[in-house]
């Protein structure tokens, strides 16, 4: 928590910074994977899946920016470089080439569940360290849980 002058203790900044960094790389990875699927999906449910993937991308990008800016605001430099995302993000389910709408639904359901689980870890970790960041992580989890529910309903 605050040390009395409005700033975080070094330990709280470390805990909060780690939670934010994990969320940032996961959300960047999620947006990239959703775009990969968006460009390559085919099948009888192409249109609704194609459009839903763009909604996931938009939500991911919005929360990425909010969380990265929160990190900067508390004195932690966010790292969204390609090599960092490739190394640290939830592992991507999509390779190169076409993918069926059914496979997209299955893989996005799993990917969203994995990202949400890591967001929830951050929610727990920041409960005492920084409730402001915790609220931002809860908001991201809330939006992604809606998308997870929608993909899961299609299975």
């Amino acid at each position: 928590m605050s040390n009395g002058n409005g700033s975080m203790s070094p330990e709280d900044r470390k805990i909060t910074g780690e939670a934010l960094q994990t969320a940032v790389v996961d959300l960047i990875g999620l947006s990239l994977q959703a775009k990969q699927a968006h460009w390559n999906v085919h099948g009888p449910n192409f249109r609704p899946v194609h459009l839903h993937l763009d909604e996931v991308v938009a939500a991911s990008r919005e929360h990425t920016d909010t969380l990265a800016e929160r990190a900067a605001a508390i004195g932690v430099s966010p790292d969204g470089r390609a090599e960092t995302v490739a190394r640290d993000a939830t592992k991507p389910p999509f390779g190169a080439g076409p993918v069926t709408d059914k496979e997209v639904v299955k893989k996005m359901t799993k990917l969203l569940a994995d990202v949400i689980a890591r967001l929830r870890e951050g929610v727990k970790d920041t409960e005492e360290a920084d409730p402001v960041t915790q609220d931002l992580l809860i908001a991201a989890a809330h939006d992604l849980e809606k998308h997870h529910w929608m993909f899961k309903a299609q299975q």
Side-chain angles (χ1 to χ4, degrees):
M1 289 301 237
S2 172
N3 64 10
N5 65 7
S7 64
M8 286 183 177
S9 72
E11 180 61 23
D12 287 346
R13 182 175 291 105
K14 179 180 183 302
I15 291 166
T16 303
E18 288 172 2
L20 287 164
Q21 180 61 30
T22 297
V24 165
V25 297
D26 277 351
L27 290 168
I28 292 170
L30 176 61
S31 70
L32 293 171
Q33 288 301 304
K35 263 306 182 189
Q36 179 68 17
H38 170 87
W39 295 322
N40 289 287
V41 65
H42 65 90
N45 292 314
F46 163 81
R47 183 161 173 76
V49 172
H50 181 80
L51 294 174
H52 190 187
L53 289 164
D54 265 347
E55 292 176 21
V56 171
V57 171
S60 299
R61 288 179 178 169
E62 178 183 341
H63 289 292
T64 298
D65 195 49
T66 299
L67 293 169
E69 288 174 353
R70 177 65 183 160
I74 65 165
V76 174
S77 182
D79 186 354
R81 295 172 301 148
E83 60 266 25
T84 304
V85 174
R87 182 189 66 228
D88 297 341
T90 299
K91 297 308 168 209
F94 297 104
V99 60
T100 66
D101 50 4
K102 286 180 123 179
E103 196 65 21
V104 168
V105 167
K106 178 181 171 189
K107 288 181 175 185
M108 282 302 297
T109 301
K110 170 78 167 97
L111 178 58
L112 284 162
D114 292 346
V115 171
I116 291 163
R118 288 184 20 139
L119 282 169
R120 286 180 166 272
E121 288 174 22
V123 167
K124 287 179 191 172
D125 293 345
T126 57
E127 180 178 9
E128 293 294 323
D130 184 30
V132 173
T133 294
Q134 183 190 43
D135 283 350
L136 298 174
L137 294 169
I138 288 168
H142 171 262
D143 283 353
L144 294 186
E145 285 175 352
K146 178 186 75 174
H147 291 294
H148 177 262
W149 162 63
M150 291 178 175
F151 274 111
K152 191 173 181 179
Q154 297 177 64
Q155 290 184 340

